[in-house]
Amino acid sequence: HLVGRVRRAGPLLFWGRVDVVQVIASAYAVVAAGALATSRLGLRLFDIREPIVELTAVHYLYAGTGALVLAGAVRGPGRAAGLAVVLTATAPPVVALGFVTGQAVPQVGGAVVMALGVWCTAALQVREAVGSTGASAGRRALLGVSGAAVLAPMVLAVAWAAGQHGDVPHLDVADMVPLHGMPNALGFTVGGLVARRLPGGASQSATRGETRGG
């Protein structure tokens, strides 16, 4: 699937926003599958232990692939939509570098970058939910829920990352699952993706008709 995406995208110099989102999102899905297999086989790479290996699979699926697809679907004024894509695409490998090296700057910095990326997407989704008169009520409601669901949970993520390197109050992993993971995965990612499958008026038509170079 990933190889097919790259082939269809053509030469790198001619990639548009859609190509970037599709290829990187597919790559993150491959990473998620690899991390899940590593976890289930009981292997240890880079001396990273459970539950971090399993959580790597979860994060690359939802915060990597899912969040990036949502970032690629939003539209907004100026460069806001493009910024959402850049930040969301950049964050996962930066966070991974932090875990592999044990360094605070990439781990905390990556969490901050991811938070900014999904907040940008969330803001544009709420903007669309409020202003998209041609969209169905269900679509607008889900976009609103998706936009709101990610706000506080990402503060918890940044606090957790900072807490691994300093005296910063943070939740443990067990508490992060219901208070950070579930709202992000189900509220933001799944809610947003389902919204994109519902009737959406002009915004949806523009997304479907977007050229590769757009």
Side-chain angles (χ1 to χ4, degrees):
H1 183 68
L2 174 59
V3 174
R5 291 286 191 191
V6 174
R7 286 177 176 172
R8 285 193 294 274
L12 182 60
L13 290 176
F14 298 100
W15 284 15
R17 177 182 172 189
V18 172
D19 299 312
V20 171
V21 169
Q22 290 180 345
V23 170
I24 297 180
S26 296
Y28 288 165
V30 171
V31 174
L36 181 61
T38 299
S39 175
R40 293 299 178 261
L41 292 172
L43 303 177
R44 185 184 299 178
L45 300 177
F46 307 109
D47 201 33
I48 298 176
R49 309 184 182 193
E50 296 291 1
I52 301 303
V53 179
E54 183 177 31
L55 290 175
T56 299
V58 174
H59 279 83
Y60 266 85
L61 178 62
Y62 289 100
T65 300
L68 184 55
V69 170
L70 288 181
V74 295
R75 298 293 178 270
R79 300 183 180 276
L83 182 62
V85 169
V86 171
L87 293 174
T88 307
T90 302
V94 176
V95 173
L97 179 63
F99 277 101
V100 171
T101 64
Q103 297 297 310
V105 172
Q107 187 171 5
V108 180
V112 172
V113 171
M114 175 56 75
L116 293 175
V118 296
W119 283 342
C120 188
T121 298
L124 293 176
Q125 288 187 151
V126 171
R127 178 178 180 270
E128 181 180 344
V130 173
S132 182
T133 56
S136 67
R139 177 185 172 96
R140 294 198 305 271
L142 282 174
L143 286 175
V145 168
S146 177
V150 78
L151 300 179
M154 288 309 299
V155 175
L156 299 178
V158 174
W160 187 91
Q164 308 311 299
H165 302 276
D167 188 19
V168 177
H170 64 282
L171 301 177
D172 59 24
V173 171
D175 289 330
M176 285 288 283
V177 172
L179 296 177
H180 163 75
M182 297 299 286
N184 280 355
L186 299 181
F188 175 66
T189 305
V190 175
L193 291 175
V194 172
R196 295 297 171 191
R197 304 295 297 176
L198 299 178
S203 174
Q204 189 177 51
S205 299
T207 301
R208 287 175 175 171
E210 181 178 346
T211 63
R212 278 181 38 186

